[in-house]
Amino acid sequence: MSRYWSDVVHALTPYTPGEQVQMPGLIKLNTNENPYPPSPLAIAAMQAAAGEQLRKYSDPSNAALKDTLAAHFGLRREQVFVGNSSDEVLAHTFHALLKHELPLLSPDISYSFYPTYCSLYGIRNVQVPLNAQFEIDIADYAQPCGAIIIANPNAPTGIAVPLAKIVALLQAHPDQVVVIDEAYVDFGGESAAALVDRYENLLVIQTLSKSRSLAGLRVGFALGHTDLIAGLERVKNSFNCYPLGQVAQAGAVAAIQDVAYTRQTSAAIIATRAWLTQQMQELGFKVLPSAANFIFARHPSHDAATLAAGLRERAILVRHFRQARIDQFLRISIGTDEECMQLVAALKSLL
């Protein structure tokens, strides 16, 4: 604490990311990183961009990347916003679109950055409880609000909301912005991107960190009605006109264009997820149905924190949350087949 801090800073509880431990031989299944390398086309594009032109500012309009995303999703450039990670895109979204007299609705168990942004921007937040099956029940959002945000598939549960229910949510709240945060959608969810032209209150946010294996590049984007995108641009250009460098833009363009590679690696992760889910169930774990690149599991006879500590002693990191209702669950990122086999072997030794 410091007497020089503003009142806002004193009141903040910062987001706590997963550990980024540097240790030889570590099996890192705690931050939902993709176990496969980025597209070779993306790597080549970034290498080509890392030349003499770096002395110049990057394109502040991100035109090439926006055009690539627009073509990929069947939209226009004016319906696309890009930023330095989906977290930055979310920050601009909270600032530009989600602060209203009525509260913002969000799930009580979801991405823990949402409450942090609410505190930072002075947004009143009502957290809607997940149901007994840890699902987002759209009917529970039938209440007065200024805006709504949900992660789909949700994190850390991994459970997806069907697209038909997203449509119902949009139709029930035509005067409120509805944000669908789709960081994990390529691993089994249904994207709401196809709805952007039909609903002017919809904003879809995605990232290149997960299915495109570019967590270290920090590129995210939003898709929505031109009025929503214009609001995001006004905030961005009042904050930082150059959030994405030339290397990031070049790599992102190539990664989006390499559709075949994304499908191949995502399919591999989905197959490993199915295998790991079965193995965990045979060990007695309750595993929630996941449409993400992680699973969320608990064992009825073994404490989650104790299991996480035991795995750590065996150089395997998983994520344990101390939040009410989920403090007996472990969130386990899907690694390579070999990493997941070592995880199963370690769990057998602990049970």
Side-chain angles (χ1 to χ4, degrees):
M1 296 293 183
S2 168
R3 63 191 178 95
Y4 298 108
W5 287 2
S6 69
D7 290 341
V8 172
V9 177
H10 278 286
L12 287 176
T13 301
Y15 170 74
T16 302
E19 293 180 278
Q20 294 291 343
V21 177
Q22 302 300 318
M23 179 176 149
L26 183 71
I27 297 177
K28 192 169 176 295
L29 306 176
N30 66 322
T31 53
N32 300 340
E33 293 150 327
N34 197 309
Y36 300 106
S39 159
L41 298 181
I43 293 174
M46 289 184 283
Q47 290 172 336
E52 185 267 341
Q53 289 299 310
L54 287 181
R55 66 186 177 82
K56 297 182 179 180
Y57 284 110
S58 57
D59 173 16
S61 71
N62 306 283
L65 178 54
K66 287 181 179 179
D67 286 343
T68 300
L69 287 163
H72 182 76
F73 289 102
L75 300 171
R76 293 176 287 114
R77 182 192 296 182
E78 295 79 15
Q79 295 172 286
V80 181
F81 177 82
V82 299
N84 183 18
S85 77
S86 62
D87 286 335
E88 183 186 72
V89 175
L90 281 165
H92 291 331
T93 299
F94 273 73
H95 203 178
L97 304 175
L98 304 186
K99 185 174 182 177
H100 301 281
E101 183 177 348
L102 291 173
L104 170 69
L105 303 183
S106 63
D108 68 331
I109 298 170
S110 192
Y111 188 26
S112 55
F113 228 138
Y114 299 161
T116 298
Y117 285 140
C118 287
S119 296
L120 180 61
Y121 296 117
I123 299 171
R124 188 156 61 97
N125 181 211
V126 171
Q127 296 185 354
V128 180
L130 301 183
N131 66 20
Q133 290 73 46
F134 294 96
E135 299 167 333
I136 294 172
D137 190 336
I138 297 305
D140 293 336
Y141 289 75
Q143 55 182 290
C145 63
I148 296 170
I149 184 169
I150 65 172
N152 190 37
N154 195 21
T157 65
I159 299 176
V161 178
L163 195 60
K165 292 189 176 182
I166 298 297
V167 170
L169 184 67
L170 290 163
Q171 292 176 342
H173 296 275
D175 299 320
Q176 289 79 37
V177 173
V178 176
V179 179
I180 308 298
D181 184 359
E182 296 186 341
Y184 303 102
V185 74
D186 292 322
F187 302 107
E190 295 179 276
S191 178
L195 304 175
V196 165
D197 274 333
R198 291 169 50 193
Y199 298 96
E200 63 182 6
N201 59 328
L202 169 65
L203 190 76
V204 177
I205 296 178
Q206 292 191 16
T207 178
L208 271 66
S209 294
K210 310 302 182 184
S211 62
R212 272 99 181 175
S213 306
L214 289 171
L217 198 65
R218 315 309 299 133
V219 178
F221 59 91
L223 311 170
H225 188 276
T226 54
D227 289 347
L228 300 183
I229 300 303
L232 296 177
E233 294 285 357
R234 286 172 70 90
V235 170
K236 185 207 73 160
N237 292 329
S238 301
F239 177 73
N240 178 10
C241 293
Y242 300 98
L244 288 184
Q246 294 183 25
V247 174
Q249 291 185 44
V253 166
I256 293 293
Q257 291 175 337
D258 197 350
V259 174
Y261 185 83
T262 300
R263 288 176 177 168
Q264 174 189 336
T265 54
S266 296
I269 288 168
I270 291 169
T272 304
R273 182 185 70 206
W275 178 87
L276 180 59
T277 297
Q278 181 180 356
Q279 294 295 310
M280 297 281 287
Q281 290 171 335
E282 291 177 2
L283 292 176
F285 283 88
K286 165 69 174 177
V287 184
L288 299 187
S290 175
N293 68 335
F294 58 84
I295 59 173
F296 205 50
R298 63 176 174 84
H299 198 286
S301 305
H302 294 269
D303 177 65
T306 302
L307 288 174
L311 289 171
R312 188 185 184 92
E313 291 174 358
R314 290 158 174 78
I316 300 174
L317 292 185
V318 298
R319 192 83 187 264
H320 174 244
F321 298 88
R322 298 188 182 277
Q323 183 179 346
R325 294 183 67 195
I326 60 170
D327 59 351
Q328 287 305 308
F329 281 85
L330 297 176
R331 194 194 69 188
I332 303 171
S333 306
I334 304 302
T336 63
D337 289 346
E338 176 61 30
E339 288 172 334
C340 289
M341 285 189 283
Q342 291 186 52
L343 167 70
V344 170
L347 285 171
K348 287 180 179 178
S349 72
L350 289 168
L351 298 177

